[in-house]
Amino acid sequence: MVVIGVDAHKRTHTLVVADEVGRELANRTFPATLEGHGTALGWVRTWPERTFALEDCRHLTRRLEADLLRAGERVVRVPARLMASARRTGRALGKSDPIDALAVARAALREHGLPVARLDGQTRRLRLLVDHREDLVAERTRMQSRLRWHLHEVFPGLEVAPRSLGRLHVIAALDRRLQPVEGTVAAVARELLARIRELTARINQLQQEITRLVRPLAPTLLALPGCGPLSAAKLLGEVAGAARFRSRAAFARWNGTAPIPVWSGNATRHRLNRGGNRQVNAALHRIALTQWREVGPGRAYVHRRLASGDTKTEALRLLRRQLSDEVFRRLLADETLTQAASAGKEAIAA
């Protein structure tokens, strides 16, 4: 059994074959093209029992990973920090593509339970749509900020309510008011309004599409109080399969809700984990805030923690940790439902 570590780059991929104790057996560099992937597959068939280990930087390895999976290969993803740790503890000094690829292979040999890669499906489509919508929202926010300064110059006494520039009727009213005004500032403001109107329409379309896609994929997650379609889509896209985590504690550590122990001797305490996946952490925080502000299980939990002497920040942090376990359970349940539905469709088709 060998492990093939891959150091991926935009133009080339370097493969290093390591045996079960981490000794390098061979290495070779291939072009990062479809033909190069095929040549690499032909080269590794010298070792019949093999596992590919790819550094978890999917913007570089996604196509190679997909080609390997379609060819029936087993692929595991190695976090970058594990590869860096293996490289620092290696005997070879310096940094090169073969050294990095060997470090990836050794990290995969040393660490058990690494996430196994699989072909992306609807979850990747959701992630792409959510990321695209967030980019458009950020672009619209920048334009809205500039527009407010121009409106203040053209209409000094005009008060535009906060967060109202994303509403089409408010945009239409401002456009009518700016039409008779002459000058460069008014012309720029009208141009910004037109662009904001286009972005708002597209953002609304994306939200509708995301909602349509997420409902059949996460019915159990959407039933969680405070979890709307956008938060559910963010969780599905970022988690990319809850079954790859061995436990709810591992999931909490990955998303940054598990506290970090910082005790020594007689002083036992924990501190906030500022690492982990911050996108998932932010989604859990939004759910926690919604539950706290509205009537629901989170509100009762926060009140209990406040009554026991915790601050609001501490209570919300603890609520996020509780929600992490609940979200993990619901994600697993939704994945089971999706797999059962897919198996039923395949049986009907057969």
Side-chain angles (χ1 to χ4, degrees):
M1 179 68 186
V2 298
V3 174
I4 303 169
V6 180
D7 183 48
H9 293 281
K10 190 174 182 180
R11 294 182 176 86
T12 62
H13 298 321
T14 298
L15 278 62
V16 169
V17 182
D19 63 12
E20 64 275 6
V21 295
R23 289 176 300 192
E24 180 179 341
L25 301 179
N27 73 77
R28 189 171 170 184
T29 299
F30 300 91
T33 61
L34 294 178
E35 293 77 11
H37 297 169
T39 306
L41 281 168
W43 178 67
V44 300
R45 290 196 175 100
T46 306
W47 298 273
E49 295 186 16
R50 58 188 178 268
T51 297
F52 280 85
L54 275 61
E55 187 179 357
D56 198 1
C57 48
R58 272 166 261 179
H59 58 293
L60 291 174
T61 61
R62 188 179 299 280
R63 187 54 190 263
L64 173 62
E65 179 183 289
D67 289 343
L68 292 175
L69 290 173
R70 291 191 188 98
E73 301 291 338
R74 184 177 185 273
V75 182
V76 297
R77 295 169 179 162
V78 179
R81 62 181 180 83
L82 295 182
M83 184 277 286
S85 175
R87 188 180 63 203
R88 284 195 302 269
T89 56
R91 297 177 64 184
L93 299 179
K95 184 183 186 301
S96 66
D97 291 352
I99 290 175
D100 287 349
L102 181 59
V104 172
R106 286 175 174 171
L109 286 166
R110 185 182 63 194
E111 300 290 336
H112 299 286
L114 289 174
V116 178
R118 62 181 185 182
L119 288 175
D120 294 313
Q122 290 290 75
T123 55
R124 185 181 181 227
R125 184 182 177 188
L126 270 178
R127 179 169 180 170
L128 290 172
L129 290 176
V130 170
D131 289 346
H132 182 46
R133 179 185 176 277
E134 289 178 350
D135 289 340
L136 295 184
V137 169
E139 182 180 351
R140 184 181 66 176
T141 301
R142 290 191 295 271
M143 289 187 173
Q144 289 170 343
S145 298
R146 294 199 299 271
L147 176 62
R148 286 183 179 275
W149 284 110
H150 294 321
L151 290 175
H152 178 71
E153 182 175 348
V154 177
F155 307 116
L158 179 64
E159 291 288 342
V160 181
R163 300 185 179 183
S164 63
L165 287 178
R167 301 171 184 168
L168 294 176
H169 70 279
V170 174
I171 295 173
L174 288 172
D175 189 44
R176 289 193 298 269
R177 187 163 183 172
L178 282 167
Q179 285 302 326
V181 182
E182 297 180 354
T184 304
V185 176
V188 172
R190 285 192 293 268
E191 185 177 341
L192 286 173
L193 270 176
R195 181 57 179 152
I196 290 171
R197 182 188 289 111
E198 293 175 3
L199 288 173
T200 299
R202 181 55 182 153
I203 288 168
N204 293 340
Q205 291 174 359
L206 285 171
Q207 183 168 347
Q208 293 172 3
E209 186 175 359
I210 290 168
T211 301
R212 177 177 56 81
L213 288 174
V214 78
R215 289 194 185 281
L217 291 175
T220 310
L221 183 60
L222 286 170
L224 176 66
C227 184
L230 292 178
S231 293
K234 171 64 74 173
L235 290 169
L236 282 174
E238 292 291 333
V239 173
R244 65 191 180 97
F245 298 98
R246 64 181 179 273
S247 66
R248 61 183 184 179
F251 178 69
R253 182 177 180 180
W254 174 79
N255 63 44
T257 57
I260 298 176
V262 287
W263 55 271
S264 177
N266 296 326
T268 303
R269 67 186 185 88
H270 294 77
R271 72 166 176 83
L272 174 67
N273 184 0
R274 300 189 182 277
N277 188 303
R278 306 315 297 172
Q279 295 289 324
V280 174
N281 195 283
L284 293 172
H285 185 67
R286 287 193 295 270
I287 298 172
L289 284 177
T290 305
Q291 287 199 3
W292 173 56
R293 290 169 179 168
E294 299 177 1
V295 177
R299 184 178 181 85
Y301 179 82
V302 169
H303 281 310
R304 287 199 304 271
R305 300 306 310 185
L306 293 174
S308 65
D310 291 331
T311 65
K312 185 180 77 172
T313 301
E314 291 170 340
L316 287 173
R317 186 185 307 163
L318 292 168
L319 177 58
R320 280 202 306 273
R321 179 65 182 86
Q322 298 290 324
L323 286 171
S324 174
D325 292 347
E326 183 63 19
V327 165
F328 179 68
R329 184 185 68 80
R330 290 173 182 260
L331 285 172
L332 288 177
D334 286 330
E335 288 177 17
T336 302
L337 291 174
T338 302
Q339 292 171 2
S342 299
K345 290 180 181 178
E346 292 177 358
I348 293 174

